[in-house]
Amino acid sequence: MKSGSMKSGSMKYLLALDQGTTSSRAVVFDANGAIRALARREFPQIYPRPGWVEHDPADLWASQLACARTALRRARVGASELAAIGITNQRETTLVWDRATGQALHGAIVWQDRRTAALCARWAARGLASRVRERTGLVIDPYFSASKIAWLLANVKGLARRARRGEVAFGTVDSWLVWRLTGGRRHVTDVSNASRTLLFDIHRGEWDGQLLEAFGIPRAMLPQVHASAHVFGTCDARLFGAEIPIASIAGDQQAALFGQACHGPGMAKNTYGTGCFMLLNTGARAIGSRSGLVTTLAARYGRTQYALEGSVFIGGAVVQWLRDGLRLIRRSADVEELAARVPDSGGVYLVPAFAGLGAPHWDPYARGILVGLTRGAGAAHIARAALESIAFQSAELLAAMRRDSGLELAELRVDGGAAANDLLMQFQSDLLGIPVVRPEVLETTALGAAYLAGLATGVWKDREDIARHWQAARRFQPRMSREEAKRRMGEWARALERSRDWQKARRPGARSR
């Protein structure tokens, strides 16, 4: 048994609920940080209009509850054996519900949704961008929660009036899950999720009254904010057979940073999920970005830490598009075999700006583009270009982080579903020129939530204790010359430029460029 773990006779387990964009997961970990069981369930994506993305709040809850029960059954772990539940979640996705009935009042507006692009442009035109960046570390963009809340207040009949009276609750997905787990007794969130709303002062650690007023959002609808490792409440005994402490909440990317044991300044991770999210721990310094990144709060346990973050909206989702949209593959896992049939992309570049471009470009009007096609291009070239697009976008983020922080990374730790793809990880290392390190436990987002919950309940004693559990499974060393990497990045930049501002230029009545 490793240092700090409980004795075998008193072994306790952690249940991590990982509510993502396309699926819900539940993972049971033991006190050594090892996975005992996992369950996963996809749920429908709803596209009411082009550029709009929603989830049914009932699907989020039902899929997460079903996964939790399945994981516990597979692990043969009873509720009384759980030390705590930890929650990690897709961030920025916005829900509103009736405090009295718990009934959702609209579909959840997903972080990918672009419906508020014009509203964000109006906010920027009012001169709010500098105040937002100074206080929240973010940029005004539809990605974050504030414009989604404002849209709901303006478009759901009677919602604004009820929100002012305190009858309506707003929450990101973590708040919704805790509300349901506790039977409506707790309306809470943590600092990492609050810092993604565009409403939270990351320096003072509280909701910002001036921004709430500027955006027309009533304070009465906001949750209480706590540290990420904190006992937020206990779940209803009827759900699992016993009351269990809910002892952590962390946004998925901050949870992954913690799960990767990136506890010190200069350590970075990249999560390859539906999107790609790279975070660089900057310690006690909140570094303002000059390169299109955002400054965010890391998951909080003890002292406050900050991170520079870059968000790629379409990462692994481009593989789902190959599967479901183009039907080039039957399963997402088949993409590596298809892409490996050719030595390179043959000059084909795919820019998957299906939901606009995130960092460092922040262009909500960009759209996807496939360029460099010849008669010799085939399905394998497109598959390889799709995988390479994930690495190109991530390489842009790391370059921006180097410029902003002045830090040279020794390695990049990776996780998420697409991190299992050897071809992608090797190409990522080639572009970056540093080792890419894949850990033994790829479920690091869930692991981060479990670690935080375990720290809050005494399963582990400190960061150093849990860092000893982290182990590398494989290191990908760069093979490509720096000259070739620079050439490929230059070609990517040319393709990317052709996708910029596409939707805006094609609006009815807009002038062609």
Side-chain angles (χ1 to χ4, degrees):
M1 193 70 63
K2 296 189 178 183
S3 174
S5 300
M6 292 186 170
K7 305 295 183 184
S8 58
S10 61
M11 174 73 81
K12 281 286 188 178
Y13 300 90
L14 288 306
L15 172 63
L17 306 183
D18 182 359
Q19 204 299 298
T21 307
T22 58
S23 67
S24 294
R25 295 170 182 258
V27 187
V28 178
F29 293 94
D30 66 22
N32 294 313
I35 294 176
R36 296 297 296 262
L38 180 149
R40 176 179 180 273
R41 178 174 294 192
E42 290 192 4
F43 53 84
Q45 307 294 297
I46 302 168
Y47 306 101
R49 298 183 191 178
W52 293 28
V53 190
E54 294 183 4
H55 294 151
D56 185 336
D59 288 341
L60 300 180
W61 167 242
S63 61
Q64 191 63 81
L65 181 61
C67 285
R69 287 171 170 165
T70 300
L72 289 172
R73 184 175 66 252
R74 289 174 178 171
R76 297 182 179 179
V77 168
S80 62
E81 298 176 271
L82 289 174
I85 293 172
I87 294 174
T88 183
N89 57 283
Q90 55 166 312
R91 304 169 305 170
E92 299 94 19
T93 294
T94 298
L95 301 94
V96 289
W97 62 91
D98 187 305
R99 288 186 183 273
T101 67
Q103 182 69 36
L105 300 173
H106 192 274
I109 302 181
V110 179
W111 57 271
Q112 298 166 318
D113 191 280
R114 301 276 93 188
R115 77 184 67 182
T116 60
L119 174 60
C120 288
R122 291 198 297 272
W123 284 352
R126 287 169 50 194
L128 294 172
S130 59
R131 186 190 305 176
V132 164
R133 178 171 284 283
E134 176 187 333
R135 298 185 184 185
T136 72
L138 308 178
V139 298
I140 295 178
D141 188 85
Y143 176 33
F144 304 107
S145 306
S147 65
K148 305 179 195 299
I149 303 171
W151 186 92
L152 289 165
L153 292 170
N155 288 275
V156 177
K157 185 177 180 180
L159 186 67
R161 182 182 68 256
R162 298 192 63 209
R164 288 192 296 270
R165 293 201 303 245
E167 298 171 4
V168 172
F170 149 74
T172 41
V173 172
D174 56 300
S175 299
W176 173 243
L177 293 180
V178 174
W179 181 276
R180 298 303 300 261
L181 285 167
T182 62
R185 296 191 305 274
R186 301 292 290 155
H187 182 210
V188 292
T189 191
D190 87 302
V191 294
S192 68
N193 278 291
S195 74
R196 311 297 296 184
T197 60
L198 224 62
L199 303 171
F200 193 76
D201 188 319
I202 62 173
H203 309 286
R204 292 185 295 141
E206 61 186 38
W207 298 116
D208 189 281
Q210 290 187 353
L211 290 177
L212 290 171
E213 183 177 354
F215 297 145
I217 297 173
R219 185 185 291 269
M221 66 190 304
L222 303 180
Q224 293 181 335
V225 184
H226 299 281
S228 307
H230 174 83
V231 178
F232 291 86
T234 56
C235 74
D236 191 316
R238 292 171 294 182
L239 296 175
F240 303 111
E243 290 189 345
I244 307 162
I246 302 167
S248 76
I249 294 174
D252 50 10
Q253 305 316 315
Q254 288 96 332
L257 187 72
F258 204 86
Q260 286 276 37
C262 293
H263 299 321
M267 301 184 74
K269 71 88 197 173
N270 196 25
T271 297
Y272 299 82
T274 301
C276 289
F277 302 89
M278 188 178 294
L279 271 71
L280 170 67
N281 188 324
T282 62
R285 286 195 304 152
I287 297 175
S289 176
R290 303 177 302 279
S291 306
L293 304 175
V294 300
T295 307
T296 196
L297 282 166
R300 185 175 178 187
Y301 166 70
R303 63 188 182 276
T304 297
Q305 288 192 323
Y306 296 90
L308 278 172
E309 176 174 339
S311 306
V312 169
F313 293 160
I314 301 295
V318 72
V319 178
Q320 293 176 322
W321 178 69
L322 295 181
R323 181 193 69 190
D324 303 334
L326 298 188
R327 301 190 183 280
L328 295 185
I329 52 177
R330 188 171 61 85
R331 301 174 304 137
S332 294
D334 297 336
V335 69
E336 184 172 7
E337 187 275 330
L338 177 58
R341 294 178 188 174
V342 292
D344 53 50
S345 68
V348 175
Y349 288 83
L350 171 59
V351 181
F354 305 147
L357 291 169
H361 308 288
W362 297 109
D363 182 354
Y365 300 111
R367 289 296 180 267
I369 191 167
L370 185 64
V371 296
L373 294 173
T374 65
R375 283 292 300 272
H381 295 96
I382 294 173
R384 193 169 187 113
L387 285 180
E388 291 183 352
S389 76
I390 301 172
F392 281 126
Q393 292 177 96
S394 297
E396 288 187 296
L397 299 182
L398 187 60
M401 287 179 177
R402 284 169 166 161
R403 290 193 299 270
D404 283 339
S405 69
L407 298 170
E408 286 297 327
L409 277 66
E411 64 184 25
L412 178 68
R413 296 184 176 185
V414 298
D415 55 74
N421 189 305
D422 289 352
L423 188 154
L424 172 58
M425 293 299 99
Q426 183 58 56
F427 188 68
Q428 187 72 86
S429 179
D430 288 342
L431 289 181
L432 299 179
I434 60 174
V436 166
V437 185
R438 187 165 64 200
E440 286 282 356
V441 178
L442 272 178
E443 297 288 341
T444 51
T445 302
L447 182 58
Y451 279 154
L452 288 161
L455 287 167
T457 53
V459 176
W460 296 289
K461 61 183 180 180
D462 53 31
R463 295 173 193 265
E464 291 70 28
D465 189 17
I466 62 175
R468 283 188 283 270
H469 294 288
W470 187 91
Q471 293 184 337
R474 182 169 175 183
R475 296 176 68 87
F476 295 85
Q477 299 287 349
R479 300 172 183 168
M480 185 182 290
S481 71
R482 293 296 83 212
E483 293 77 14
E484 177 64 8
K486 183 177 180 180
R487 184 188 71 80
R488 293 297 309 273
M489 288 300 299
E491 290 187 349
W492 164 259
R494 289 175 56 213
L496 186 107
E497 186 58 32
R498 284 158 173 78
S499 77
R500 299 293 303 273
D501 202 33
W502 180 267
Q503 187 65 28
K504 188 176 182 181
R506 294 299 182 271
R507 285 177 172 177
R511 296 173 59 185
S512 299
R513 290 185 293 175

